[in-house]
Structure formats: structure tokens, C-alpha cells
Amino acid sequence: MRVKVLSRNPDDYVRETKLDLQRVPRNYDPALHPFEVPREYVRALNATKLERVFAKPFLSSLDGHRDGVNCMAKHPKSLSTVLSGACDGEVRIWNLTRRQCIRTIQAHEGFVRGMCARFCGTSFFTVGDDKTVKQWKMEGPEYGEEEEPIHTILGKTVFTGIDHHWKEPVFATCGHQVDIWDEQRTSPKCSLTWGFDSISSVKFNPIETYLLGSCASDRNIVLYDMRKSTPLKKVILNMRTNTLCWNPMEAFIFTAANEDYNLYTFDMRFLESPVMVHMDHVSAVLDVDYSPTGKEFVSASFDKSIRIFPVDKGHSREVYHTKRMQHVITVKWTSDSKYILCGSDEMNIRLWKANASEKLGVLAPREKAAMNYNQKLKEKFQFHPQIRRIAQHRHLPKSIYGQIKEQRIMREARRRKELNRRKHSKPGSVPFVPEKKKHIVAVVK
């Protein structure tokens, strides 16, 4: 006679302490769980609603400037330190953990046009309307010492932007032309120019560190190679590009902020058409900065809002605005990828969460598990109409809402006009131009 004995391992169901959770055996047979998907759908719906309820992205405002904030720079080694330059020539260094100004410098006569920190974090550079480049110590002066720059370089024309090399003691300025400077010399190592218009912004590539990109007011985006001392190629757009930012994870990808309310992500090897056109702003885009992960970027606009775009999507996932915020001139994404800083016309720097509904502070393991579970549920049901509607809904200021409506009508009118023209023309005489190619005038090599 054969006898089968029930055998249970106590480790599978006995708690070690009374604080442990009860272990519940679970049978994954779908026949035993007929309402699993409806139950998960309800949970996903609740998680999406709660995400919108807890979406409070604004953290604090750093006030102290007496004029509009024109530019900002991140400290390369310290997460809590950020620098800002104003339109009255004043530079302030802020401590983000204490949320207060720790040092003030009267750096220039007139606007501070650009600033950048040295790669080691010991000093920073500023350029202004007074045709000077100044290098300052990151640490404050000793007791009794005067607040003076380490070096001052006097240029022939106004400098409009500056950026430092990521690994070498070299920096680039722009204005009438792009100049590459050695920190030890008072004259540029080389000057790069292509065209005759003023250049508004210059940026070093963080990966291929010898590459530079610049934006000129004659609608060009020009790429340079520092080793060749000559421009590589340029792309001409329909309207002027204000600034660009390189992707910190993909060497050849950069995003340009344009006057035509759009942002364009380009692959520098194929400039004939952008990889993606990001459309959502209703006024000129003034600044753009990438997240350290390279998956998202934040843009600042003249329409008094900032938007967060995924790199591979044409529309923003988030829009931030407050009642008192005016035209946003500069924006930065902090190096830990958690916060966004923006500086605007009305003399304030605002600190935002990069993820609007994220809970700050230490999370318990159960909280983490619940968050991950909810996140997976939202991803699973993200295309269901009800969940999609709740997740995408945002309250917008009346001005932005009205302009979005107006632009939709204009876009529809243009589309209708093109259809009519095609209908009443000889077949093939009115070509189909894809959205990506509409905004590119030419590529010159």
C-alpha cells in the first residue's frame, strides 16, 4: 500500500517575527481569477487619479535679484550649488538645500550675458555687455579681502555667451564670432566664423568634447570641430534658433530651441531633417536643458511656462506655470535628475520637481513596492480612453489656452488650403512635404 503524506515547509508560511506580513499562497491559474483585468483596471484608474491629486511640482522660489534673471549655471561637483546672473550685472551663488543666497558679486556693467563653471568646480566664468570675460573663484574671499576676479579679458565686441570645455582648461565665447580661449592667455587660440551675423549661443559637446554647436541670428545652427579650427557644417531653419543643448548620453544628438514655438532634435550626422519636432509652446522658446539621463529635456518659453518633453515624443508630458511667473528666460535641470530650476523676468528663480507627483524624502519599502506596482498598472492601461484623458489633463492659464485654440484653427486652415490646392492642380505638381522637412531651408557643408 502506497501512502502520500502532506509535507509543508514552515519557511513558506510561518512569520519570523510578529511584525512580518502574513505570507499568502497564490495560485496563478487564470481560471481561478476571472475578474483580474477589471480589478487591475480600477486600480490603474485610481492610481492615475491620485497621481493628478498629488501633482504639486512647485517647491520654492529663490528671490533676491533686483533685475530679471538672464542666465544660470550648475556647479559640476556640488548638487546644492547653483549660480545665476541678472540683467543688472549681478551674480549670485545659491545654496539649494538652505534655499538662500550665500554670495553676491557685482560682476559686470549691464547684462550678464552668459556664465559657466570650470569642469573641476574651483572657479567660474562670466561674460557681459561691458565686453569682458571674467574668471571668479567659487569660494568667497577671505576676511578683509576684496571681491575681485582672478582674470579679466577685454574683448573687442560684446560677448553673448560662454561655455567651458568638459575636460581641458579651454573655454569658448560667442558674439561677433566663436572664439576658443586658453585659460592662461589673453588672446583667443583660434576664431571660428561662418557668415556675418551675431552668434547668440555656443555649447561644447559633453561626450565628443572637441565638438561645438552655435546658433546665429541669421537662422543658422553651425557645428565646429575644435581640432580642425574650421566649421564642419550648418543647417538653416525657417526662423532663428535661440539656443541649443547636447544630449549628455548620445554623442551626436542635440536639441535646438526656436523662435517658431517649436524645438527640433537633430542628429548632427543627418541634418537634412530633424529626428523629432517638439510642438506645444505658444510663443518663442528661449532656453532648453537636458536631464542627466538623456531621456528628457526641459524648455523655457516666452509664453510664461516651462515644459518637459520626452526625447522621442512630439508633445510635452508636463507643463509648469504660476500666476506670478513672467517670461521664462533660462532653465536648468539639476545633476541628480530630480529638480528643475527656472529664472524669469520678474527677478525670481523657481525650484520645481521634475516628477510632479513624486514624494520627497525617505520611502518605506512597502511604499516603494506600491509605487512600482501602480506605475506598472498605469503603463499597462495607459491607452485606455478614460485613463489617458485623466493622465493628460492639465490646467492652463487663459492666455495659453486661448493661443493653443487659435493656433489649432490656423493649422487647420493651412491644411485645408493645401488640400484644395492639391485637388485643383495637376497630379504631382504640389508635392507632399513631411512636417519634419517643412522647417529646414538648407544644409551647407
Side-chain angles (χ1 to χ4, degrees):
M1 186 175 72
R2 187 178 293 169
V3 178
K4 281 189 176 180
V5 180
L6 284 175
S7 167
R8 287 189 182 177
N9 183 359
D11 290 346
D12 292 339
Y13 62 94
V14 175
R15 294 185 296 175
E16 286 183 12
T17 69
K18 64 178 183 181
L19 297 175
D20 283 358
L21 294 175
Q22 285 280 10
R23 291 192 182 170
V24 182
R26 171 103 195 266
N27 190 334
Y28 287 97
D29 181 8
L32 299 175
H33 300 280
F35 296 115
E36 187 174 24
V37 174
R39 202 178 295 130
E40 281 190 344
Y41 175 75
V42 170
R43 284 177 189 164
L45 192 65
N46 289 340
T48 310
K49 286 177 181 175
L50 284 173
E51 184 190 40
R52 297 314 315 144
V53 167
F54 292 122
K56 294 186 169 52
F58 180 70
L59 292 174
S60 80
S61 81
L62 312 172
D63 47 351
H65 276 296
R66 290 163 300 181
D67 209 334
V69 181
N70 199 45
C71 55
M72 284 195 296
K74 292 184 284 191
H75 193 292
K77 304 285 183 191
S78 163
L79 283 176
S80 61
T81 308
V82 71
L83 306 106
S84 64
C87 298
D88 59 355
E90 188 181 66
V91 169
R92 283 180 178 249
I93 301 175
W94 304 86
N95 185 315
L96 294 181
T97 45
R98 300 210 304 266
R99 296 181 190 175
Q100 65 187 55
C101 175
I102 52 175
R103 190 165 153 222
T104 306
I105 306 165
Q106 188 57 45
H108 294 277
E109 300 286 327
F111 283 43
V112 180
R113 288 289 175 189
M115 60 196 314
C116 65
R118 199 172 187 272
F119 60 90
C120 60
T122 53
S123 62
F124 64 94
F125 296 83
T126 60
V127 293
D129 275 358
D130 52 4
K131 303 182 186 177
T132 57
V133 182
K134 293 184 181 178
Q135 183 182 4
W136 306 84
K137 275 186 186 169
M138 196 65 82
E139 299 299 321
E142 298 292 325
Y143 179 73
E145 274 186 28
E146 288 290 315
E147 183 77 84
E148 286 183 348
I150 308 169
H151 297 301
T152 303
I153 299 169
L154 192 59
K156 294 187 177 73
T157 55
V158 173
F159 296 109
T160 54
I162 185 168
D163 197 31
H164 202 283
H165 195 280
W166 290 78
K167 290 176 182 169
E168 293 171 17
V170 170
F171 63 92
T173 59
C174 62
H176 183 58
Q177 60 194 15
V178 172
D179 293 321
I180 311 290
W181 305 77
D182 193 306
E183 285 182 13
Q184 306 303 321
R185 294 170 57 181
T186 55
S187 57
K189 282 201 321 185
C190 66
S191 296
L192 307 162
T193 181
W194 193 354
F196 300 99
D197 253 301
S198 61
I199 295 159
S200 57
S201 164
V202 64
K203 290 283 165 69
F204 273 102
N205 191 321
I207 303 167
E208 302 289 348
T209 50
Y210 46 81
L211 291 176
L212 295 103
S214 75
C215 311
S217 54
D218 56 357
R219 303 175 299 157
N220 291 344
I221 299 172
V222 189
L223 302 174
Y224 307 96
D225 190 330
M226 211 169 71
R227 298 166 303 179
K228 291 169 74 176
S229 303
T230 54
L232 289 175
K233 48 186 167 181
K234 69 176 174 182
V235 56
I236 306 168
L237 279 75
N238 274 334
M239 288 182 80
R240 183 164 67 101
T241 301
N242 287 314
T243 187
L244 61 87
C245 187
W246 294 93
N247 190 321
M249 288 292 161
E250 296 182 63
F252 302 112
I253 304 293
F254 66 90
T255 297
N258 205 278
E259 284 279 327
D260 65 359
Y261 315 167
N262 297 340
L263 295 113
Y264 302 98
T265 297
F266 283 97
D267 186 327
M268 67 169 281
R269 297 164 294 183
F270 314 106
L271 291 175
E272 284 72 24
S273 75
V275 180
M276 186 62 67
V277 180
H278 309 275
M279 335 167 82
D280 259 347
H281 281 296
V282 293
S283 195
V285 189
L286 301 179
D287 200 11
V288 59
D289 192 40
Y290 263 94
S291 140
T293 59
K295 292 183 177 176
E296 293 182 319
F297 60 84
V298 60
S299 62
S301 172
F302 202 74
D303 63 12
K304 308 175 188 177
S305 70
I306 61 173
R307 286 182 183 266
I308 301 171
F309 290 88
V311 173
D312 54 349
K313 299 278 194 309
H315 293 283
S316 61
R317 74 159 172 86
E318 201 64 78
V319 54
Y320 293 162
H321 55 86
T322 64
K323 275 185 180 176
R324 295 186 178 186
M325 189 155 78
Q326 294 302 308
H327 313 305
V328 191
I329 297 170
T330 177
V331 71
K332 282 280 178 277
W333 201 310
T334 57
S335 302
D336 61 350
S337 189
K338 277 185 174 292
Y339 305 101
I340 287 164
L341 288 150
C342 70
S344 50
D345 255 358
E346 83 310 333
M347 306 177 274
N348 264 4
I349 296 166
R350 287 182 174 78
L351 183 65
W352 309 82
K353 287 192 277 191
N355 187 356
S357 56
E358 183 182 26
K359 185 185 173 188
L360 299 178
V362 180
L363 292 178
R366 288 181 69 180
E367 274 183 308
K368 270 187 191 169
M371 274 174 53
N372 293 337
Y373 178 60
N374 285 341
Q375 187 59 37
K376 288 294 174 195
L377 284 178
K378 284 184 284 192
E379 284 171 18
K380 182 176 178 180
F381 294 97
Q382 63 185 333
F383 297 112
H384 282 239
Q386 193 72 3
I387 287 178
R388 191 175 180 185
R389 184 184 65 79
I390 294 165
Q392 288 186 347
H393 181 262
R394 297 290 180 276
H395 288 290
L396 291 170
K398 202 172 178 181
S399 58
I400 294 180
Y401 185 76
Q403 281 174 293
I404 288 174
K405 223 169 169 181
E406 194 179 301
Q407 282 181 19
R408 194 181 296 130
I409 293 164
M410 287 160 68
R411 215 168 26 244
E412 193 55 41
R414 279 198 297 272
R415 197 182 67 84
R416 214 165 42 242
K417 184 177 180 181
E418 194 179 327
L419 280 173
N420 289 340
R421 187 179 286 151
R422 191 170 284 118
K423 198 190 291 179
H424 298 291
S425 302
K426 199 164 69 174
S429 62
V430 181
F432 285 94
V433 182
E435 184 64 43
K436 287 180 181 177
K437 298 219 174 187
K438 274 180 189 172
H439 310 279
I440 306 296
V441 176
V443 177
V444 187
K445 293 183 183 178

